[in-house]
Amino acid sequence: LSSTMGKIHVESDLFDLNNLTYYLKTAERYIQANTVGMGIPHVSGEVLRSLYVTFPTKDQQIKIAQYLDHQTAIIDKLIHQKKN
């Protein structure tokens, strides 16, 4: 799309979008580590193409995302309790 923005096209019948969100969050550090530029960091298409993506079945993806959502809710609740 531009030097500072990219688009990921997802075949929604193959992927659970919640699970994909978690996967992309794990890839964020790799992407950030491979940026260039001082003001606005840029990521080359080559870096994005080098990401290796494997996904379990859609049913497994849904279960993984549900588990992570549940664990995140527990952590968020504990943080909220600690702050109050």
Side-chain angles (χ1 to χ4, degrees):
L1 297 174
S2 74
S3 63
T4 58
M5 184 183 340
K7 177 182 176 183
I8 298 172
H9 176 75
V10 176
E11 296 291 335
S12 62
D13 60 329
L14 299 176
F15 300 103
D16 175 66
L17 296 181
N18 287 334
N19 187 68
L20 183 61
T21 299
Y22 283 112
Y23 172 78
L24 292 174
K25 286 180 181 180
T26 64
E28 184 177 8
R29 286 187 185 190
Y30 170 78
I31 293 170
Q32 287 177 342
N34 288 284
T35 60
V36 294
M38 296 286 286
I40 300 175
H42 299 272
V43 179
S44 73
E46 196 61 36
V47 167
L48 295 176
R49 282 188 290 278
S50 72
L51 288 173
Y52 184 70
V53 180
T54 60
F55 286 95
T57 66
K58 188 168 181 181
D59 286 341
Q60 290 171 324
Q61 292 176 50
I62 291 168
K63 288 178 183 177
I64 291 167
Q66 288 172 339
Y67 173 80
L68 293 172
D69 287 343
H70 177 72
Q71 295 301 315
T72 301
I74 290 171
I75 293 168
D76 289 346
K77 183 178 178 182
L78 292 171
I79 291 170
H80 178 74
Q81 289 173 347
K82 185 156 179 94
K83 286 183 179 180
N84 294 328

